[in-house]
Amino acid sequence: MTTLNWKEGDLAYDSSLFVRGKGHFVDDLKIPGTLYMSVLRSPYARARILSIKGGINGSELKAKMASVGEGADPSQTVSIQPVFATGYVNYVGEPVAAVFGDDRYKATDLLENVEVDYEPMKPVVTIDDALRLPPIHEGMKSNILVQSSRGSDFKDPDSPIVLEDTLENERVATNPIEPRGIVASYSDGMLNVWVSTQSVHSIKDGLVESLGLRPDAVRVMQTDTGGAFGSKGGLYPEYVIASYASMKYGRPVKWIETRREHLSSTNPGRGVRGKVKIFAERDGRIMGLKGDVLVDAGAYGTGIASFSAGFIAMMMTGPYSIENGYVIGRSVLTNKVPQGPYRGAGRPEASFFIERMVDLLADELKMDPADVRLANMSDKPFTSPLGMKIEPAKPFFESAVRELEYRREAKLTNGVGLSFFVLVPAVYPGESARIIVKDGMVKVWLGGNSHGQGHENFARKLVNEELGVPESIVTLFRGDTGMTLDGVGSWGSRSAIVGGAAIVAACRKIKRKVEKESGNYSPELLLSGSYDEFVYEEQKIPLNSFGANLATVEIGKLGNVKIKKCAAYYDVGRALNRDMVIGQIQGGMAQGIGQTLHEGLYYNDDGQLITSSISDAGVPLAEDLPNFTVKIAEHRSSLPHGAKGLGESPTIGVPTALIRAIEVASGKRLRKTPVTPEELIQ
Amino acid sequence: MSLSKIKLRINGKEIEAEVEPRKLLVHFLREDMGLTGTHVGCDTSNCGACTVLLDGRAVKSCTMLAVQADGREVTTIEGISSGDDMHPLQKAFIEKHGLQCGYCTSGMILTSFWLLSKNNNPTEEEIRKAISGNLCRCTGYQSIVESIKYGAQLMKEEEKGEQEIRVR
Ligand code: FES
Ligand code: FES
């Protein structure tokens, strides 16, 4: 490790370095002797590989991907992705071979030396293809990767109002501005890996399993991570290949993704369709909901896709007290890059389905949408027939209507949308933290790894509160499996909850030790000693929270949507750092707008990716976005530090409010994101 | 591949170097000069993470070759302040939380540096327009716009301070 251009102090989170250009991103890491890796990728959505010559390819490295990270489902076997395509390629962008050069230009040149013969086959591109056509993988009976159901089937109630609709979210590329990247360096029997990630432990577990390594022979360290939004939580083929190559060549290997590779080969989110039927009374009460959810899993079942179907199904009644519910969720295989989590990971989809139906019901009954929502809420806790537990929704919703000034906006504006949701954070099974007190300093590591959220702020605050030491001597270090035995990751609106709880638990353990040694506790006693505690704090209660959004829009002659107002009112639990909370919400609101108006990842009938740049993919520009109005409610959770989740709230609540505003302003029923200007002026 | 000789000023320093003619300026800065504050976020000149100042003007260093910078003056994020001192824009981005993951930050600061060199009192709309060649996926831009406004104010205060010192 002496050959690194980074010292120990460079391993802490320190956002003040970014304004000086002194961050520590993975591509900034320089180790002498590094080989650069380039990946040859499939140009076909589906083809038989007749022969491959050159580079490292599947005839040499026969490893399979391990299912790790958010929503991992290790039970999948037949559809598991090989690290290199073997026998067949199943999506455009699938790794086929890898080459290595002394710099990135040479590595790219070497791609020409690889020869592959393909025999193209007819691809399965859409969800409908998947249901209709024979399975893309041998050994499967159909393209249905998983099928699960929530709730129990019920006899159609004889309700005066029965509404049915099919609703859809196009796939969205996660597009962090820093693409993925890794440096793997094998020496003296130890594989050291630096990676841009949300979870060093997922990457480590994945490498250990895929390459059959001993856990104590792999160390994964997080670099500064330039955004992730779900896409950097788990293992990818390139990480296995780079690690293998470093072991083979005895040199460090660096791979940095290009944006084009990101679009074709990093797991995108969304890509979900739902058919929903609701049964309602004339007073607005929904008596039952039936749903059929289809998730476009892409070509392999390694990631979150198989988990998504049931997860979305569970949340389909939203925050409403609907007594009867039955939802079937299926994930289907297509010849596209495997689906993964994107900020919200199933939550925005479920919310889109129920909120679109509630708005439809309001239109049918000519009732105010807020009143229809109120008719379906209780001031008691509710357990939905689909298995979701919610707190009393009504008091929060009533305050949201006031805080967002919905009634006034509805009078003033033609084109207002209101949404309401419950956020189910991914707290299970908990998180780890390690705290070392030495030489008068407090060093902290978390199992789940910050990638822009500023976890160092809540770490410092909680240590200060628990141990009474000044924040200035507390440092949070980037994720490092050499420092934490075990851990989960940063995703699913979980870190302030479970990471925070782990820090509190570790602090309390240390405090008890000081008390035991000295008979009492003081910060001075603490700092004069040495302590080292690791905790894995379990968390099984979901700690759901509510949120609401409001949007108002105007639509131009060409169908362009001008957002006048985009407002949020969320219960964030106790806000551990108000500025960070507001920042998270604003950033998420931008992504919610992006999904609604601009973002999509499109394939043609041959399964060719036709979205070719980050701008094409629809990442919003500063000019596209309004200023946001953000209000927060702080209803403490039952945890000692009072935190709840919030990171995904805006990507759940904004699309539903905004699409409703556009629907009202345009007078057109809208069923799909993104909404295009063409459909508004048709 | 034969190498080309180039001579340029980078962050005020005279530099002579030999580069492959095909090497992009951004790779020359990052890899040969060790100036890793200039980032790469795309391959289609959309994101602006690679923004530097070329003869005072913000350019995307992924859209030009290193040899095209021959004889010119390049300023990167590392060159807009020295030592522990910070440029007012750098201070403003910290104070107003104009960053989350920090990956777009150098490009944002250099683009706004250029904007403020032409217009020291930009409106919100002018700011949003000026940074629309720089993508940020984390912040939703609002805090970046506030940082730039605040940076403009700090710069004016600093200038005034300097004038007062000169007058005295
Ligand atoms: S790297 Fe994206 S514009 Fe230069
Ligand atoms: S702060 Fe992450 S891209 Fe701007």
Side-chain angles (χ1 to χ4, degrees):
Chain A
M1 301 256 300
T2 45
T3 48
L4 274 179
N5 55 337
W6 294 348
K7 306 175 296 296
E8 198 217 356
D10 296 336
L11 306 178
Y13 293 102
D14 182 355
S15 63
S16 73
L17 294 177
F18 299 135
V19 302
R20 300 169 177 277
K22 301 266 187 239
H24 301 87
F25 295 101
V26 62
D27 198 15
D28 303 343
L29 179 61
K30 258 196 178 170
I31 309 179
T34 294
L35 278 173
Y36 286 77
M37 176 169 113
S38 268
V39 179
L40 187 82
R41 298 178 183 277
S42 169
Y44 295 106
R46 192 178 183 202
R48 197 188 309 275
I49 301 174
L50 302 176
S51 68
I52 309 181
K53 272 201 252 33
I56 294 181
N57 60 51
S59 62
E60 174 179 344
L61 174 57
K62 294 193 165 63
K64 283 186 181 309
M65 292 283 290
S67 182
V68 293
E70 185 176 4
D73 180 4
S75 71
Q76 294 299 328
T77 47
V78 181
S79 63
I80 209 88
Q81 177 164 11
V83 168
F84 281 119
T86 37
Y88 297 87
V89 288
N90 278 302
Y91 62 91
V92 169
E94 182 170 5
V96 173
V99 293
F100 304 84
D102 289 332
D103 66 38
R104 69 185 76 227
Y105 289 82
K106 293 199 181 93
T108 314
D109 291 345
L110 288 168
L111 287 174
E112 282 177 23
N113 299 351
V114 185
E115 279 171 41
V116 191
D117 279 333
Y118 297 99
E119 182 183 275
M121 297 165 71
K122 187 170 168 39
V124 168
V125 183
T126 63
I127 288 174
D128 291 321
D129 284 353
L131 294 174
R132 196 167 43 88
L133 296 172
I136 62 169
H137 298 306
E138 279 168 21
M140 289 189 75
K141 287 198 190 72
S142 74
N143 284 312
I144 296 173
L145 176 66
V146 289
Q147 167 152 356
S148 63
S149 65
R150 289 294 187 132
S152 35
D153 203 358
F154 57 92
K155 191 173 149 283
D156 287 4
D158 102 61
S159 306
I161 315 282
V162 181
L163 298 171
E164 189 176 50
D165 213 346
T166 299
L167 306 155
E168 194 171 347
N169 292 151
E170 187 59 67
R171 280 186 161 205
V172 175
T174 60
N175 272 325
I177 306 301
E178 181 204 36
R180 290 185 296 125
I182 189 167
V183 174
S185 177
Y186 181 80
S187 62
D188 304 326
M190 188 73 194
L191 177 67
N192 286 303
V193 168
W194 291 265
V195 61
S196 174
T197 187
Q198 304 166 239
S199 169
V200 288
H201 288 285
S202 292
I203 307 289
K204 174 175 167 172
D205 294 350
L207 290 174
V208 164
E209 192 184 322
S210 281
L211 289 169
L213 301 171
R214 283 199 342 264
D216 60 356
V218 181
R219 179 176 181 183
V220 177
M221 291 157 275
Q222 186 201 22
T223 54
D224 275 331
T225 296
F229 315 111
S231 65
K232 294 177 181 171
L235 190 72
Y236 280 90
E238 297 89 352
Y239 306 169
V240 183
I241 304 167
S243 300
Y244 171 82
S246 177
M247 294 166 72
K248 175 175 174 172
Y249 297 122
R251 288 171 66 176
V253 171
K254 183 188 263 193
W255 174 74
I256 304 294
E257 184 182 58
T258 65
R259 183 60 54 182
R260 241 177 276 257
E261 288 181 297
H262 181 81
L263 297 173
S264 71
S265 313
T266 291
N267 306 340
R270 312 289 185 269
V272 177
R273 190 168 84 194
K275 195 155 131 196
V276 194
K277 193 176 201 176
I278 55 171
F279 305 89
E281 296 297 315
R282 295 211 178 278
D283 60 5
R285 277 178 307 142
I286 302 172
M287 311 312 288
L289 175 144
K290 288 186 182 178
D292 185 3
V293 173
L294 285 159
V295 177
D296 181 348
Y300 298 102
T302 312
I304 199 175
S306 59
F307 167 80
S308 285
F311 186 51
I312 294 171
M314 180 197 74
M315 296 181 289
M316 287 270 288
T317 48
Y320 306 112
S321 308
I322 299 172
E323 296 289 348
N324 296 295
Y326 179 58
V327 182
I328 297 171
R330 286 174 288 175
S331 293
V332 299
L333 293 162
T334 58
N335 290 113
K336 295 191 291 211
V337 59
Q339 190 225 26
Y342 169 57
R343 200 172 188 167
R347 301 165 184 86
E349 295 90 324
S351 183
F352 188 77
F353 298 151
I354 180 68
E355 290 295 272
R356 291 281 61 221
M357 293 311 288
V358 174
D359 286 332
L360 184 66
L361 177 61
D363 288 344
E364 175 71 22
L365 295 170
K366 303 204 167 31
M367 264 176 89
D368 187 289
D371 296 331
V372 175
R373 286 174 170 80
L374 275 169
N376 289 288
M377 276 173 211
S378 161
D379 34 31
K380 295 197 186 65
F382 180 73
T383 301
S384 84
L386 307 175
M388 186 166 65
K389 282 199 175 76
I390 52 175
E391 301 279 298
K394 202 170 197 168
F396 183 87
F397 184 72
E398 283 171 341
S399 55
V401 168
R402 270 195 313 276
E403 293 288 334
L404 296 170
E405 303 179 34
Y406 167 73
R407 306 271 179 205
R408 196 176 67 102
E409 290 288 352
K411 260 192 226 117
L412 288 176
T413 326
N414 175 40
V416 54
L418 179 70
S419 69
F420 186 43
F421 64 87
V422 58
L423 166 71
V424 182
V427 295
Y428 185 85
E431 190 54 281
S432 69
R434 180 172 177 188
I435 298 183
I436 297 180
V437 181
K438 213 183 147 198
D439 304 328
M441 304 298 274
V442 181
K443 297 182 179 175
V444 185
W445 286 262
L446 280 169
N449 316 129
S450 186
H451 40 286
Q453 300 90 338
H455 293 172
E456 62 275 21
N457 295 289
F458 76 67
R460 282 196 289 261
K461 180 178 185 115
L462 293 175
V463 172
N464 162 274
E465 287 177 356
E466 291 294 322
L467 296 176
V469 298
E471 290 195 15
S472 57
I473 64 162
V474 181
T475 309
L476 179 69
F477 287 84
R478 290 197 298 271
D480 180 350
T481 63
M483 300 307 296
T484 45
L485 283 173
D486 200 354
V488 184
S490 270
W491 52 64
S493 307
R494 71 197 308 275
S495 295
I497 302 175
V498 290
I503 288 176
V504 169
C507 285
R508 292 186 180 178
K509 219 167 150 189
I510 289 175
K511 199 169 183 179
R512 282 196 298 275
K513 271 213 169 140
V514 177
E515 279 166 355
K516 213 167 152 202
E517 281 171 17
S518 316
N520 62 346
Y521 176 85
S522 75
E524 293 70 30
L525 283 170
L526 170 79
L527 295 176
S528 63
S530 299
Y531 301 89
D532 183 350
E533 287 299 334
F534 172 82
V535 297
Y536 190 113
E537 183 72 357
E538 287 191 0
Q539 178 65 42
K540 291 183 177 150
I541 306 160
L543 300 170
N544 298 346
S545 52
F546 292 117
N549 282 86
L550 176 137
T552 62
V553 302
E554 269 169 22
I555 297 171
K557 278 204 191 71
L558 301 173
N560 52 312
V561 174
K562 177 151 177 56
I563 300 170
K564 312 279 296 178
K565 188 167 179 185
C566 190
Y569 180 65
Y570 301 153
D571 175 15
V572 301
R574 175 178 167 232
L576 299 176
N577 182 308
R578 219 185 153 85
D579 289 332
M580 294 297 128
V581 166
I582 303 286
Q584 275 298 300
I585 295 175
Q586 290 176 344
M589 288 172 87
Q591 291 180 322
I593 292 173
Q595 183 196 327
T596 315
L597 295 181
H598 311 288
E599 297 190 54
L601 205 54
Y602 295 100
Y603 291 80
N604 70 9
D605 294 348
D606 296 328
Q608 288 294 331
L609 179 64
I610 51 181
T611 304
S612 62
S613 70
I614 189 168
S615 299
D616 246 9
V619 171
L621 312 177
E623 302 185 277
D624 298 336
L625 296 176
N627 277 318
F628 305 107
T629 308
V630 177
K631 293 186 172 181
I632 59 175
E634 294 189 67
H635 302 304
R636 291 181 66 109
S637 70
S638 54
L639 294 172
H641 63 305
K644 285 184 183 167
L646 68 106
E648 298 169 308
S649 291
T651 53
I652 305 172
V654 168
T656 46
L658 180 55
I659 199 166
R660 173 60 180 174
I662 302 169
E663 182 170 86
V664 176
S666 68
K668 295 217 157 80
R669 170 72 178 159
L670 298 173
R671 300 182 170 87
K672 187 175 178 209
T673 62
V675 175
T676 62
E678 297 79 55
E679 70 186 300
L680 296 180
I681 51 172
Q682 259 165 28
Chain B
M1 202 167 288
S2 71
L3 300 178
S4 304
K5 273 206 170 79
I6 56 170
K7 219 169 133 179
L8 70 171
R9 276 176 88 80
I10 301 177
N11 297 333
K13 257 203 245 128
E14 209 62 64
I15 302 285
E16 282 183 46
E18 293 195 333
V19 292
E20 268 190 55
R22 64 172 172 173
K23 191 170 233 169
L24 295 175
L25 178 59
V26 66
H27 290 141
F28 172 71
L29 292 170
R30 289 181 50 81
E31 276 150 32
D32 302 8
M33 298 290 107
L35 296 168
T36 52
T38 307
H39 299 150
V40 178
C42 72
D43 39 21
T44 44
S45 67
N46 291 121
C47 78
C50 61
T51 305
V52 299
L53 301 176
L54 185 71
D55 299 331
R57 231 183 113 92
V59 298
K60 293 179 175 175
S61 63
C62 73
T63 59
M64 60 185 289
L65 301 168
V67 291
Q68 291 173 297
D70 187 32
R72 316 198 46 187
E73 162 123 42
V74 176
T75 308
T76 68
I77 187 71
E78 292 91 343
I80 65 164
S81 60
S82 60
D84 279 345
D85 277 354
M86 275 199 276
H87 186 274
L89 271 169
Q90 292 173 313
K91 288 184 203 155
F93 268 72
I94 292 180
E95 209 167 307
K96 298 288 177 193
H97 303 283
L99 63 145
Q100 286 178 26
C101 79
Y103 200 74
C104 69
T105 312
S106 342
M108 286 290 179
I109 290 180
L110 289 170
T111 299
S112 41
F113 186 99
W114 184 47
L115 168 72
L116 298 182
S117 72
K118 298 177 299 179
N119 173 358
N120 69 1
N121 197 14
T123 61
E124 155 131 20
E125 214 184 317
E126 287 168 334
I127 293 174
R128 284 190 180 265
K129 203 158 177 210
I131 60 168
S132 278
N134 292 72
L135 297 177
C136 175
R137 189 62 155 162
C138 300
T139 62
Y141 302 106
Q142 187 163 336
S143 61
I144 293 179
V145 173
E146 280 157 17
S147 302
I148 298 171
K149 272 193 208 156
Y150 184 56
Q153 183 191 328
L154 290 181
M155 277 169 81
K156 270 184 261 167
E157 281 165 17
E158 217 166 72
E159 225 167 77
K160 220 168 117 203
E162 273 166 27
Q163 274 167 9
E164 274 164 19
I165 292 168
R166 256 181 269 141
V167 171
R168 251 183 265 148

